[in-house]
Amino acid sequence: MEKPHDIFSKQLNALLEPITSVRDKALKLIIHAGTPKTGTTSLQTYLDKKQRKLRGKGILYPHNLQKLQNTHAPKHQWFEKNLITTHHENFLENFKNILSQVNENTHTIILSSEGIYNYWWDFPEASKDLLRELNKCFNIEIWIWFREPLAFIESYYKQCIRNPQIENNPCYGKDLSLSEMLDFKWFSQHLDYQGFVSDCQSLFGENKISVFNYEGDVVQEVIQKLGLATPHDNPTPRKNQSLNSASISILRTINSYNIKAKDKELLIPPLKAMNEILGEYALETLMDDATRRKVLELAQPIEF
């Protein structure tokens, strides 16, 4: 009986054959894997708006399948979602959709979702097998931005508090302090930058992983790498404003009621308005000295 990754590989190669038969090399597939809180929303928005300009340079930032919910979201969350469940049929269906958008000038495809890093440790081995097969079909590059660990984990903590509760996730939408959340391996393992890089090097090859130090504007870095920069480019505005300590306290109170996701989402707009007003009052940090030491002990950063 054929294994799912063998079926996936056979079917994907059949889809690629008409494309690769007229080329002297495989299509390049750039996978922007995050990390969270490193300007990914701004980058995805930019790439989505510049699709026509990208196509003129042979670069495809593909549309999602029409049958997906929120098809206009400029990110590719289907990538990690299908790997978490090892749903190779849906994984293949999305690549079939991508290849239908490839034309004779296309040489590079870009996929972007910070969830690839976020859920990396949740992928079963069968899904890693799918990635190994994918690596045989495309010339894959992994792009990953890392932020200084203290700033990253505080920002990521705020996002976890902001998210709705999800079954089997110990941190999303919970009434937890940053120090308490660090006690959960699911959360603290996101500080293992080197572990992620080593895993990717094992799967895709040592020279296939490009690691960058996040310095505030990932969009400008990417457009330089893609050759899209012009003299008129301006610094990219931030898409997400960070929550202050007062807003986090309010969110934790909301989380203590085990509120439904749809109801919590209704509370976010007024919370954002309060966040702006309270900004000049809520100046205290979420990270005391003991928590700071705890983060630095857990962190496995990359040496740039």
Side-chain angles (χ1 to χ4, degrees), residues 52-266:
R52 181 175 295 182
K53 187 174 182 179
L54 288 165
R55 279 183 173 275
K57 290 187 172 288
I59 302 169
L60 173 65
Y61 188 73
H63 295 289
N64 288 319
L65 283 168
Q66 289 299 312
K67 61 186 177 184
L68 287 177
Q69 290 186 342
N70 196 20
T71 58
H72 299 296
K75 61 179 68 178
H76 304 107
Q77 291 176 315
W78 56 266
F79 193 95
E80 69 269 12
K81 287 181 177 179
N82 290 325
L83 290 175
I84 291 170
T85 59
T86 319
H87 205 312
H88 74 278
E89 295 95 343
N90 285 356
F91 201 53
L92 178 69
E93 189 67 21
N94 280 281
F95 274 99
K96 183 177 181 180
N97 172 59
I98 289 170
L99 294 178
S100 72
Q101 300 172 51
V102 168
N103 60 35
E104 65 275 9
N105 297 319
T106 304
H107 54 75
T108 299
I109 299 165
I110 300 177
L111 298 179
S112 176
S113 179
E114 66 270 27
I116 298 169
Y117 180 85
N118 197 16
Y119 294 104
W120 182 260
W121 293 270
D122 298 329
F123 296 163
E125 191 58 34
S127 292
K128 300 289 181 68
D129 288 336
L130 285 179
L131 291 175
R132 290 185 183 94
E133 295 302 322
L134 191 68
N135 192 43
K136 297 175 185 177
C137 298
F138 293 93
N139 175 20
I140 288 182
E141 291 184 14
I142 306 296
W143 289 4
I144 182 83
W145 271 260
F146 288 111
R147 191 172 178 178
E148 184 276 319
L150 291 168
F152 163 72
I153 205 65
E154 180 170 332
S155 186
Y156 188 50
Y157 163 75
K158 293 176 181 180
Q159 185 61 52
C160 288
I161 292 292
R162 158 72 175 80
N163 287 344
Q165 291 191 19
I166 296 178
E167 188 177 0
N168 299 324
N169 187 296
C171 299
Y172 280 4
K174 302 295 186 179
D175 177 16
L176 295 168
S177 69
L178 174 54
S179 181
E180 290 169 334
M181 200 173 284
L182 283 166
D183 290 332
F184 289 91
K185 184 179 179 181
W186 185 91
F187 180 73
S188 62
Q189 68 192 357
H190 290 81
L191 288 164
D192 188 8
Y193 299 172
Q194 185 59 59
F196 174 81
V197 171
S198 297
D199 282 353
C200 287
Q201 288 174 330
S202 176
L203 275 174
F204 303 109
E206 284 196 18
N207 299 324
K208 298 298 186 74
I209 318 302
S210 295
V211 177
F212 306 94
N213 184 25
Y214 177 65
E215 296 179 339
D217 195 347
V218 67
V219 174
Q220 294 298 316
E221 292 185 67
V222 169
I223 64 178
Q224 292 285 345
K225 287 179 67 65
L226 297 177
L228 298 176
T230 71
H232 307 292
D233 284 322
N234 296 314
T236 308
R238 293 186 61 175
K239 293 294 180 181
N240 295 320
Q241 184 179 1
S242 179
L243 297 176
N244 56 52
S245 58
S247 298
I248 291 297
S249 295
I250 296 170
L251 269 175
R252 287 186 58 183
T253 300
I254 293 170
N255 291 346
S256 70
Y257 290 99
N258 195 25
I259 194 168
K260 294 178 181 178
K262 63 181 181 63
D263 291 329
K264 185 174 183 179
E265 198 58 35
L266 292 174

